[in-house]
């Protein structure tokens, strides 16, 4: 039988401290599975520190290491597309460089892959160290997203998963530039299987996702998988219009029957402010979608490469 090749894809942004530790762990993993060929595909996402030098060092020592150096920081979502494009493996596992996704879990994934599953995703039972606010917001967000979108995104499942060549080829075709890869995994379908793991803490450095970046990712997630917010604007408009119509009839009758002394400043100002708010909100929602259309129609490449070696 042909030997099969496994790609470990690792997007790196300012990870010079984590990489040596990560390398020793994945090398141990690969050495323990000599029945497969291995490729360690590191993607340098415009790091500002010495990450690229560390990667070059690793490549000199180990020919399984290959890398893609992006021309600037494009963000993890786009960096992952670069990985899908150039990976040569029969399957691919995305790992975080900070070792929050323990490489040892890949062993279990490979077992499932052998059984014929095409997308083996890892659900975290524990989430590692993070702030209370971030955990709460994240959980609330996923339940909202599940309610609104057809492609339901799974709670506590991240990018840590094994993808068969079929899935990789499918993902390569989805070339939108505002990407929400977690949703794309669900969208493509294929035979899925879940395993669980404990998410560790970062070995070194800081998370590069602050709450603001996470908020942006969250908006991308909703707007790229659902037009429900637009419908919400329609519904709000409808409710307000019907309410106003009833109110108008009431006033008309009342004025005809008992007359009207001019008063009602509070009613007026409250109605005006409320309507103004609803209008601005609806415009904002439309704007979100318009902005996405604007960005997608420019049709720019999703990422640019300065240099690549080994792939
Ligand atoms: N990452 C990236 N580009 C970015 C931000 C992050 O490639 O612009 C990588 C980062 O190096 C790490 C992974 O994405 O391998 C997850 O990032 P991080 O640990 O900062 O996020 P968190 O684990 O807090 O969600
Ligand atoms: Mg992390």
């Amino acid at each position: 039988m042909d030997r099969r090749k496994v790609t470990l894809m690792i997007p790196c942004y300012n990870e010079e401290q984590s990489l040596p530790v990560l390398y020793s762990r994945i090398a141990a993993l690969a050495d323990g599975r000599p029945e497969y060929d291995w490729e360690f595909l590191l993607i340098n996402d415009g790091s500002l520190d010495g990450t690229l030098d560390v990667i070059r060092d690793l490549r000199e020592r180990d020919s399984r290491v290959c890398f893609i150096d992006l021309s600037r920081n494009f963000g993890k979502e786009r960096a992952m597309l670069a990985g899908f494009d150039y990976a040569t493996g029969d399957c691919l596992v995305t790992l975080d460089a900070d070792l929050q996704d323990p490489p040892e879990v890949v062993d279990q994934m490979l077992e499932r892959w052998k059984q014929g599953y095409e997308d083996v995703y890892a659900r975290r039972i524990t989430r590692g160290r993070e702030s209370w606010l971030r955990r709460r917001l994240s959980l609330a967000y996923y339940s909202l997203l599940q309610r609104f979108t057809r492609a339901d995104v799974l709670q506590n499942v991240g990018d840590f998963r094994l993808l068969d060549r079929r899935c990789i080829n499918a993902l390569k075709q989805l070339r939108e530039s505002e990407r929400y890869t977690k949703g794309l995994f669900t969208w493509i379908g294929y035979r899925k299987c879940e395993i669980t793991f404990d998410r560790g803490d970062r070995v070194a450095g800081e998370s590069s996702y602050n709450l603001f970046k996470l908020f942006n990712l969250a908006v991308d997630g909703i707007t790229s998988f659902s037009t429900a917010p637009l419908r919400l604007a329609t519904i709000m408009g409808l409710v307000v219009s019907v309410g106003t119509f009833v109110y108008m009839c009431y006033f008309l009758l009342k004025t005809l029957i008992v007359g009207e002394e001019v008063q009602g400043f509070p009613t007026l100002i409250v109605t005006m402010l409320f309507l103004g708010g609803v209008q601005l909100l609806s415009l904002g929602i439309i704007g979100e979608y318009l902005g996405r259309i604007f960005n997608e129609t420019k049709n720019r490449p999703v990422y640019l490469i300065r240099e690549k070696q080994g792939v």
Side-chain angles (χ1 to χ4, degrees), residues 9-37:
M9 188 238 291
I10 300 135
C12 311
Y13 178 59
N14 297 345
E15 302 279 6
E16 61 177 353
Q17 289 169 330
S18 328
L19 277 182
V21 195
L22 174 84
Y23 171 73
S24 58
R25 295 270 289 274
I26 55 178
L29 168 78
D31 295 339
R33 287 296 198 122
E35 70 268 36
Y36 294 111
D37 287 332

Coordinates of all heavy atoms in Angstrom, one line a residue, residues 9-37:
M9 N -0.3 21.7 10.1 CA -0.2 23.1 9.7 C -0.3 24.0 10.9 O -1.2 23.8 11.8 CB -1.4 23.3 8.8 CG -1.4 24.7 8.1 SD -2.8 25.7 8.5 CE -4.1 25.0 7.6
I10 N 0.7 24.8 11.0 CA 0.8 25.7 12.2 C 0.9 27.2 11.8 O 2.0 27.6 11.4 CB 2.0 25.2 13.1 CG1 1.8 23.8 13.5 CG2 2.1 26.1 14.3 CD1 3.0 23.0 13.3
P11 N -0.2 27.9 12.0 CA -0.1 29.4 11.8 C 0.7 30.0 12.9 O 0.4 29.7 14.1 CB -1.5 29.8 11.7 CG -2.4 28.7 12.2 CD -1.5 27.5 12.4
C12 N 1.6 30.9 12.6 CA 2.4 31.4 13.7 C 2.5 33.0 13.6 O 2.8 33.5 12.6 CB 3.9 31.0 13.6 SG 4.1 29.2 13.4
Y13 N 2.1 33.6 14.7 CA 2.2 35.1 14.7 C 2.9 35.4 16.0 O 2.4 35.2 17.1 CB 0.8 35.7 14.7 CG 0.9 37.2 14.8 CD1 1.6 38.0 13.9 CD2 0.2 37.9 15.8 CE1 1.6 39.3 14.0 CE2 0.2 39.2 15.9 CZ 0.9 40.0 15.0 OH 1.0 41.3 15.1
N14 N 4.1 35.9 15.9 CA 5.0 36.2 17.1 C 5.1 35.0 18.1 O 4.6 35.1 19.2 CB 4.4 37.4 17.8 CG 4.4 38.6 17.0 OD1 5.1 38.7 16.0 ND2 3.7 39.7 17.4
E15 N 5.6 33.9 17.6 CA 5.7 32.7 18.4 C 7.1 32.2 18.6 O 7.3 31.0 18.8 CB 4.8 31.6 17.8 CG 3.4 31.9 17.5 CD 2.5 31.8 18.8 OE1 3.1 31.5 19.9 OE2 1.3 31.9 18.7
E16 N 8.1 33.1 18.6 CA 9.5 32.6 18.6 C 9.7 31.8 19.9 O 10.6 30.9 19.9 CB 10.5 33.8 18.5 CG 10.3 34.8 19.6 CD 11.4 35.9 19.6 OE1 12.3 35.8 18.7 OE2 11.3 36.9 20.3
Q17 N 9.0 32.1 21.0 CA 9.3 31.4 22.2 C 8.6 30.0 22.2 O 9.1 29.1 22.8 CB 8.8 32.2 23.4 CG 9.7 33.4 23.7 CD 9.0 34.4 24.7 OE1 7.8 34.5 24.8 NE2 9.9 35.1 25.4
S18 N 7.4 30.0 21.6 CA 6.7 28.7 21.6 C 7.3 27.7 20.7 O 7.2 26.5 20.9 CB 5.2 28.9 21.3 OG 4.8 30.1 21.8
L19 N 7.8 28.2 19.5 CA 8.1 27.2 18.4 C 9.1 26.1 18.8 O 8.8 25.0 18.4 CB 8.6 28.0 17.2 CG 7.5 28.6 16.3 CD1 8.1 29.3 15.1 CD2 6.5 27.5 15.9
P20 N 10.2 26.4 19.5 CA 11.1 25.3 19.8 C 10.4 24.2 20.6 O 10.6 23.0 20.4 CB 12.2 26.0 20.6 CG 12.2 27.4 20.2 CD 10.8 27.7 19.9
V21 N 9.6 24.6 21.6 CA 8.9 23.6 22.4 C 7.9 22.8 21.5 O 7.8 21.6 21.6 CB 8.1 24.3 23.5 CG1 7.6 23.3 24.6 CG2 8.8 25.5 24.1
L22 N 7.2 23.6 20.7 CA 6.2 22.9 19.8 C 7.0 21.9 18.9 O 6.5 20.8 18.8 CB 5.5 24.0 18.9 CG 4.6 23.4 17.9 CD1 3.3 23.1 18.4 CD2 4.5 24.2 16.6
Y23 N 8.1 22.3 18.4 CA 8.8 21.4 17.4 C 9.2 20.1 18.1 O 9.0 19.1 17.6 CB 10.1 22.1 16.9 CG 10.9 21.1 16.1 CD1 10.5 20.7 14.9 CD2 12.1 20.6 16.7 CE1 11.2 19.7 14.2 CE2 12.8 19.6 16.0 CZ 12.4 19.2 14.7 OH 13.1 18.2 14.1
S24 N 9.7 20.2 19.4 CA 10.1 19.0 20.0 C 8.9 18.0 20.2 O 9.0 16.8 20.1 CB 10.8 19.2 21.3 OG 10.0 20.0 22.2
R25 N 7.7 18.7 20.5 CA 6.5 17.8 20.7 C 6.1 17.2 19.4 O 5.7 16.0 19.4 CB 5.4 18.7 21.3 CG 5.7 19.2 22.7 CD 5.3 18.2 23.8 NE 3.8 18.1 23.9 CZ 3.1 18.9 24.7 NH1 3.6 19.9 25.4 NH2 1.8 18.8 24.8
I26 N 6.0 18.0 18.3 CA 5.5 17.4 17.1 C 6.5 16.4 16.5 O 6.1 15.4 15.9 CB 5.0 18.4 16.0 CG1 6.1 19.4 15.7 CG2 3.8 19.2 16.5 CD1 5.7 20.4 14.6
A27 N 7.8 16.7 16.7 CA 8.8 15.7 16.2 C 8.6 14.4 16.9 O 8.7 13.3 16.3 CB 10.2 16.3 16.4
A28 N 8.4 14.4 18.2 CA 8.2 13.2 19.0 C 6.9 12.5 18.5 O 7.0 11.2 18.3 CB 8.0 13.5 20.5
L29 N 5.9 13.2 18.2 CA 4.7 12.6 17.7 C 5.0 11.9 16.4 O 4.6 10.7 16.2 CB 3.6 13.7 17.5 CG 2.4 13.3 16.7 CD1 1.4 12.5 17.5 CD2 1.7 14.6 16.1
A30 N 5.7 12.6 15.5 CA 5.9 12.0 14.1 C 6.9 10.8 14.2 O 6.7 9.8 13.6 CB 6.6 13.1 13.2
D31 N 7.9 10.9 15.1 CA 8.8 9.8 15.3 C 8.0 8.5 15.8 O 8.4 7.4 15.5 CB 9.9 10.1 16.2 CG 10.8 11.2 15.7 OD1 10.7 11.4 14.4 OD2 11.5 11.9 16.4
G32 N 7.0 8.8 16.6 CA 6.2 7.7 17.1 C 5.3 7.0 16.1 O 4.7 6.0 16.3
R33 N 5.1 7.7 14.9 CA 4.2 7.2 13.9 C 5.0 7.0 12.6 O 4.7 7.7 11.6 CB 3.1 8.1 13.7 CG 2.0 8.1 14.8 CD 1.4 6.7 14.8 NE 0.1 6.7 15.6 CZ -1.0 6.4 15.0 NH1 -1.1 6.0 13.8 NH2 -2.1 6.4 15.8
P34 N 6.0 6.1 12.5 CA 6.8 6.1 11.3 C 6.1 5.5 10.1 O 6.6 5.6 9.0 CB 8.0 5.2 11.7 CG 7.5 4.4 12.9 CD 6.4 5.2 13.5
E35 N 4.9 5.0 10.3 CA 4.1 4.5 9.2 C 3.6 5.6 8.2 O 3.2 5.3 7.1 CB 3.0 3.5 9.6 CG 1.8 4.2 10.3 CD 2.0 4.3 11.8 OE1 3.1 4.5 12.3 OE2 0.9 4.2 12.5
Y36 N 3.6 6.8 8.7 CA 3.2 7.9 7.9 C 4.4 8.8 7.5 O 5.4 8.8 8.2 CB 2.2 8.8 8.6 CG 0.9 8.2 9.0 CD1 0.6 7.9 10.3 CD2 0.0 7.9 7.9 CE1 -0.6 7.3 10.6 CE2 -1.2 7.3 8.2 CZ -1.5 7.0 9.6 OH -2.7 6.4 9.9
D37 N 4.3 9.4 6.3 CA 5.2 10.5 6.0 C 4.7 11.8 6.7 O 3.5 12.0 6.8 CB 5.3 10.7 4.5 CG 6.1 9.6 3.9 OD1 7.0 9.0 4.5 OD2 5.8 9.3 2.7

